[in-house]
Each structure stands twice: as structure tokens, then as C-alpha cells.
Amino acid sequence: MNLPYLLPRVVRHFLPEKIVRFLLLRSLVIEPGLETRDPQAAVQRYVDVLAERGDSLKGKRVMVFGYGGRFDIGVGLLEAGADAVVLCEKYAPPDDAHNRSLLPRYEAHLRLDGERVRPRDKRMTLLEADIRDVKPGDIPSVDLVISNSVYEHLDDVEGITRALAALTSPNGLHIHYVDLRDHFFKYPFEMLCYSKSVWYGWLNPSSNHNRYRLWDYRRAFEASFASVNILVRERDEAAFQKTRARIRPEFISGDLADDAVTLIRAVVSQPKV
């Protein structure tokens, strides 16, 4: 029994979401994603992927799926050449305290509305909804959908991917960075050792961790896109082998190269819907 893992996991499972949000925004115990931690680096990473394909942000309508409440990433995309940005977030409200710090430097993109900071015009919009409830025609189609460390938290990967594909222009592109590790990073494969009932009843964090593996994501993307390119960014074969005897069979493919994957980048296009 791995008590150093289990005890914090149980606490995290039952921790109220307001406290989780407080810790996350201050990088206390819980580490935020790159869009929150280093938005300039996040923007540059997407710019680099587009450049590898002979493309750029110029003229594109971009959706940031799961932007985290801070407007830096949206402003950064506009400054880097995007024509318009949709900041999509179902759970995290705008972080007004942080967003106020972006003024007056970014007054071209943001305005103060009482105590709240909001986008200045339609070049940047907020979409605070379950993406599955947004239908084609509700918003203009997007040319690029991006996310970082969001997909591993989804409770309906296939349905959400299908919904995003439906909102993507026929020539549109998606770039998703996905972290397959247990987010108790000291034990990257520990979450795979527990049954569904134990995981969801006692250990799953309130942010949800779906425990999808490489082949699950490949299947989900291929169901909604004709072109799917998944780049394995990192593997940890030593950690996987160390934990393997306790990992449940549904999380083992038998191919160590696939089983030990910890970080991926999915670049997908040609939506089927």
C-alpha cells in the first residue's frame, strides 16, 4: 500500500474546488498549466508548430480550449498575429485580480468594466459554456483549436472532441498537448493501479483525471478527424517497469514504447463532421 501517495490523493479528492482554485492560481502545491505559468512560452510553442507546417497565426480565428481564466494567452495570440481569439472555459471564471495587472499595457485588447477586466472588442471573446452545448452556427467556425494539459481532465473525450471538430473550419487545425502522467508527478503511473470504483470514489482529484492512454487518445481523435499525427514527447520506461506489476491490465497494451508514454502532442486536421 502506497500511503505517501494514497493519503494526499484522498485529501485532494475531497478538497473543495474553491480551495483548489486558490492554490492553483498561486502555484501553491498544485502546479498550473503553461498558459497560466508562462503564457508567452505557450504562444511561442504554437507558433513554432505552425511554422513547421509552413503556416502562421496570421488571419486565423483561434480557440483556446480550457484557457484557465487568465487573459494573457489570448492577448499573446492577438499580438502574435491571430485575427480573433475565443477563450473557452467551462469551469474557471476570469481571474480579475490577475487580469487587472495586464492593464494599461494591453488596453488595445482589454478594458475595465467596474472591477472586472473584459475583452475590449470582438477580436477576443469569452465562451463560458460546455462545448458540447455549442452548435455550429452559434459561433463562427474556428481555424485553430489549441489546448495544453486539458485533455487529460475531460470526462467525455470523444464527445468533446466531436463537438470541437464540428466548430472547426474544413481546413482547420488542432494542436493539443496532453500529459498522461498521474499529476502526483512523483508517481507518474500510480493512478493506473486502482480499479474504477476506487479511483472515482476516493482518489480522482476534483479536477478529474480520466486516465486515458496513448491508444485511447489516438482512437478518440481518429473518430473525429481524418488526419491525426500524435508525437510522443516523453516516455518514462523505468518508472513504468517499476510500477508495472501493480498496473491494471486495461492500462497495458504490451508494447512498452506505448505503455510508458507520459507526454504527447496531437496535431489533427480534416474534421469528419
Side-chain angles (χ1 to χ4, degrees):
M1 185 177 294
N2 188 350
L3 289 179
Y5 173 86
L6 291 171
L7 293 178
R9 263 286 170 247
V10 171
V11 171
R12 177 71 174 83
H13 176 79
F14 290 103
L15 200 64
E17 193 57 32
K18 286 186 177 180
I19 296 178
V20 173
R21 177 82 176 150
F22 177 87
L23 296 172
L24 181 66
L25 292 178
R26 291 157 182 80
S27 300
L28 299 173
V29 183
I30 304 170
E31 184 177 343
L34 189 64
E35 272 78 0
T36 299
R37 192 172 70 253
D38 191 346
Q40 289 185 336
V43 170
Q44 188 58 50
R45 190 162 63 167
Y46 299 120
V47 167
D48 290 343
V49 174
L50 290 171
E52 291 171 6
R53 300 172 61 90
D55 203 350
S56 72
L57 286 169
K58 186 177 180 180
K60 284 186 169 52
R61 180 174 171 83
V62 184
M63 176 183 286
V64 186
F65 181 61
Y67 80 100
R70 293 185 172 181
F71 295 161
D72 311 59
I73 184 71
V75 169
L77 289 163
L78 290 173
E79 295 275 299
D83 188 59
V85 174
V86 180
L87 298 177
C88 179
E89 180 63 68
K90 179 183 177 182
Y91 296 104
D95 181 0
D96 291 318
H98 173 83
N99 292 332
R100 279 194 294 272
S101 72
L102 301 178
L103 293 171
R105 182 180 178 186
Y106 295 117
E107 283 186 331
H109 306 298
L110 303 172
R111 63 180 176 84
L112 195 61
D113 179 13
E115 293 297 311
R116 305 181 306 170
V117 174
R118 290 296 180 266
R120 179 166 290 281
D121 54 41
K122 291 183 179 180
R123 290 193 68 204
M124 184 162 72
T125 57
L126 306 182
L127 182 59
E128 299 172 299
D130 187 323
I131 200 67
R132 291 166 295 186
D133 296 331
V134 181
K135 307 302 181 185
D138 290 348
I139 63 171
S141 62
V142 294
D143 306 301
L144 177 65
V145 180
I146 59 177
S147 75
N148 178 69
S149 199
V150 171
Y151 252 79
E152 65 266 26
H153 298 293
L154 302 182
D155 59 2
D156 178 13
V157 174
E158 290 79 6
I160 289 171
T161 300
R162 188 164 52 248
L164 288 170
L167 298 173
T168 305
S169 64
N171 295 321
L173 183 75
H174 286 217
I175 305 171
H176 300 291
Y177 288 89
V178 191
D179 191 336
L180 278 65
R181 297 173 295 175
D182 189 309
H183 285 14
F184 194 151
F185 295 112
K186 184 178 179 180
Y187 306 100
F189 298 100
E190 185 69 19
M191 65 181 178
L192 308 180
C193 300
Y194 303 94
S195 68
K196 185 176 181 179
S197 60
V198 170
W199 178 252
Y200 286 104
W202 295 94
L203 303 177
N204 187 31
S206 56
S207 57
N208 188 53
H209 204 140
N210 57 43
R211 301 193 293 177
Y212 267 38
R213 311 316 298 155
L214 173 64
W215 50 91
D216 297 314
Y217 286 114
R218 182 179 290 115
R219 182 184 66 249
F221 285 120
E222 288 178 347
S224 292
F225 294 88
S227 176
V228 175
N229 183 295
I230 297 181
L231 173 70
V232 174
R233 299 176 62 230
E234 289 186 19
R235 292 182 175 88
D236 193 338
E237 294 185 359
F240 181 84
Q241 293 284 43
K242 183 178 180 180
T243 316
R244 191 187 191 288
R246 296 188 297 109
I247 293 176
R248 294 181 61 84
E250 60 263 34
F251 299 117
I252 298 175
S253 72
D255 183 343
L256 180 61
D258 285 353
D259 291 339
V261 170
T262 53
L263 297 172
I264 62 172
R265 184 193 73 191
V267 178
V268 302
S269 59
Q270 300 175 37
K272 294 180 178 181
V273 291

